[in-house]
Amino acid sequence: MNLLVTGASGFIGFNLSKYLLKNTDFEIYGVDSLNNAYDNNIKNLRTTELETFEKFLFYNLDLSNEESYQELKNLEISCVVHLAARAGVRQSFLEPKKYITDNAISTANLSNFIKDMKIEKFMIASTSSIYGDSGEKKVKEEQDEKYPPPSVYAATKLSGELLAKTILEGTDTSITIPRFFTVYGPYGRPDMSILRFIHWIYSGEEILLFGDGEQKRSFTFIDDVISALSLLIKSNENKTFNIGSNSQISLINVIKKIETMLDKQAKIKHLPRALKDVDVVIPDLSNMESLGWEPKVEIDEGLSRTIDWYLENKEFLKNLKFVAKTMAVKRNKLILMHQTHSNKVIEIVHRD
């Protein structure tokens, strides 16, 4: 197979491409815009490693620009794995136009390209954010999506799903949609919680924790995600799949585990709860289980492996920007909070 992997320099795209290049005879055409959604240094590190493989060819392209696809029209492509996206619930409220462009418009353009090229298989990565807060209930594909979606990010990802299905209706292209639940692990994004917690605890900086930390997540180790995607690439499934962990853990308990593993005490600064932050979302994994897949990496093993990778690369990682912006609710007012590189938090603006 010849695969086009979008977002190849991203966290999941890099790990998937690397796994396939090591374990299959696939040719991988990697596409990424290398934008500044988070620190580009780690994207460049991932890209450099992929370019050491003979069967990997990289294209620096913006998928929201229709002219970009001219560079891809002479390629023989069996399957498109669309992992390129602008991620993050909090940030999506601050920059909605960028999320619409990168998630909805880019997916529509890519769908038109697939239709013109008559590509047989299209895999569109999506998100558990579409479900919102699940409470004690497991969320099921095609049943429990929230309308309207609970965030700008969720709305743009769901739009991408629907646009692809509409554009490719009546063609021979099969569409598979994996929805991810809080993925973490080596080479992770520096704006996501686990890698940030490891960095802050190890370096002795304050952990910026939005809310009391009792929010629970189905943290899913990257190797489990890659095994699921590899299975879906080789299948003929034309449906949606939750890919997540079958257990949940609170943020505060994740911090405690990292403290124990690093033998360091966390300095926690509690900030107002982030806007639209969910208490918990629990995946129904029956669709993936029907294919013989189940998550194998428990949180203790996943944290340990992520910490080992961090320590091996600490000299490089210490220069990354572990920063973020977020919307939060405070004293019945909506505020914009900006975290500086030195971990100082500034309330830039508030409104009733």
Side-chain angles (χ1 to χ4, degrees):
M1 294 180 73
N2 297 335
L3 264 65
L4 179 70
V5 178
T6 73
S9 301
F11 175 33
I12 298 175
F14 161 76
N15 279 284
L16 176 65
S17 298
K18 183 178 176 181
Y19 174 84
L20 294 175
L21 289 164
K22 281 186 171 183
N23 296 284
T24 72
D25 292 326
F26 293 175
E27 299 270 356
I28 306 291
Y29 307 121
V31 172
D32 205 291
S33 67
L34 298 175
N35 64 36
N36 62 353
Y38 58 87
D39 195 319
N40 236 330
N41 287 309
I42 196 164
K43 297 180 188 178
N44 292 330
L45 178 69
R46 298 172 186 141
T47 308
T48 299
E49 185 166 344
L50 289 177
E51 288 181 322
T52 63
F53 290 91
E54 183 179 347
K55 291 188 176 182
F56 178 81
L57 188 60
F58 182 70
Y59 294 85
N60 186 345
L61 300 175
D62 179 357
L63 295 174
S64 69
N65 182 352
E66 291 179 319
E67 294 180 2
S68 296
Y69 295 85
Q70 294 299 322
E71 292 192 45
L72 306 176
K73 286 198 170 179
N74 292 325
L75 301 178
E76 293 185 8
I77 301 168
S78 310
C79 172
V80 174
V81 182
H82 183 34
L83 295 162
R86 188 172 289 263
V89 169
R90 299 168 182 172
Q91 190 73 10
S92 71
F93 288 101
L94 305 174
E95 300 179 301
K97 288 184 180 179
K98 289 182 179 180
Y99 280 75
I100 293 167
T101 299
D102 289 349
N103 296 349
I105 294 174
S106 291
T107 304
N109 287 345
L110 186 59
S111 299
N112 280 320
F113 169 76
I114 288 168
K115 184 176 183 179
D116 293 341
M117 297 287 290
K118 296 181 172 58
I119 296 171
E120 296 178 356
K121 187 171 182 62
F122 189 20
M123 184 181 298
I124 309 168
S126 193
T127 174
S128 62
S129 297
I130 286 171
Y131 299 115
D133 210 321
S134 71
E136 297 301 316
K137 176 186 175 183
K138 291 183 178 180
V139 290
K140 178 69 177 170
E141 307 94 334
E142 315 301 341
Q143 295 180 17
D144 294 316
E145 296 85 352
K146 290 288 192 300
Y147 296 97
S151 67
V152 174
Y153 171 54
T156 59
K157 292 298 290 181
L158 188 58
S159 295
E161 291 185 21
L162 297 173
L163 286 165
K165 289 178 179 179
T166 303
I167 291 168
L168 293 165
E169 185 179 9
T171 71
D172 293 328
T173 301
S174 68
I175 298 176
T176 305
I177 302 175
R179 290 180 180 158
F180 304 133
F181 286 68
T182 318
V183 187
Y184 74 101
Y187 289 94
R189 283 171 31 211
D191 61 323
M192 292 193 72
S193 60
I194 283 182
L195 194 54
R196 288 156 67 92
F197 293 161
I198 293 170
H199 173 73
W200 287 332
I201 293 172
Y202 180 79
S203 62
E205 298 178 45
E206 282 186 330
I207 285 182
L208 305 180
L209 187 59
F210 295 94
D212 59 11
E214 294 299 330
Q215 311 97 301
K216 292 182 178 180
R217 297 290 180 265
S218 297
F219 287 106
T220 313
F221 192 65
I222 184 64
D223 286 12
D224 284 332
V225 173
I226 300 311
S227 68
L229 292 179
S230 300
L231 182 62
L232 292 176
I233 287 170
K234 298 172 185 177
S235 75
N236 294 316
E237 297 293 334
N238 194 1
K239 58 199 294 189
T240 302
F241 296 86
N242 289 333
I243 298 177
S245 171
N246 49 22
S247 62
Q248 294 72 46
I249 184 172
S250 69
L251 298 181
I252 199 69
N253 281 332
V254 166
I255 291 171
K256 290 177 181 177
K257 286 179 179 292
I258 296 171
E259 285 180 311
T260 299
M261 291 177 184
L262 287 173
D263 193 23
K264 288 178 177 285
Q265 186 73 34
K267 304 171 185 176
I268 301 176
K269 180 173 183 177
H270 288 273
L271 299 172
R273 183 76 175 261
L275 182 67
K276 301 285 187 176
D277 191 20
V278 299
D279 285 321
V280 65
V281 56
I282 305 172
D284 184 318
L285 301 177
S286 56
N287 279 357
M288 281 302 307
E289 289 170 349
S290 70
L291 300 180
W293 178 90
E294 62 180 14
K296 295 181 178 179
V297 182
E298 298 291 342
I299 188 69
D300 285 353
E301 180 186 348
L303 287 176
S304 177
R305 289 167 63 179
T306 306
I307 287 171
D308 287 346
W309 174 83
Y310 176 87
L311 295 176
E312 289 169 5
N313 295 275
K314 62 185 178 183
E315 288 305 310
F316 168 80
L317 294 169
K318 71 180 182 181
N319 295 316
L320 286 189
K321 296 178 181 178
F322 292 80
V323 299
K325 296 177 184 177
T326 189
M327 302 296 290
V329 177
K330 182 177 181 181
R331 296 185 297 274
N332 297 319
K333 292 184 179 180
L334 194 62
I335 60 172
L336 169 62
M337 307 193 74
H338 174 68
Q339 173 200 345
T340 69
H341 195 7
S342 62
N343 261 23
K344 183 179 180 181
V345 177
I346 304 170
E347 295 182 16
I348 297 175
V349 66
H350 63 81
R351 57 182 181 269
D352 291 324

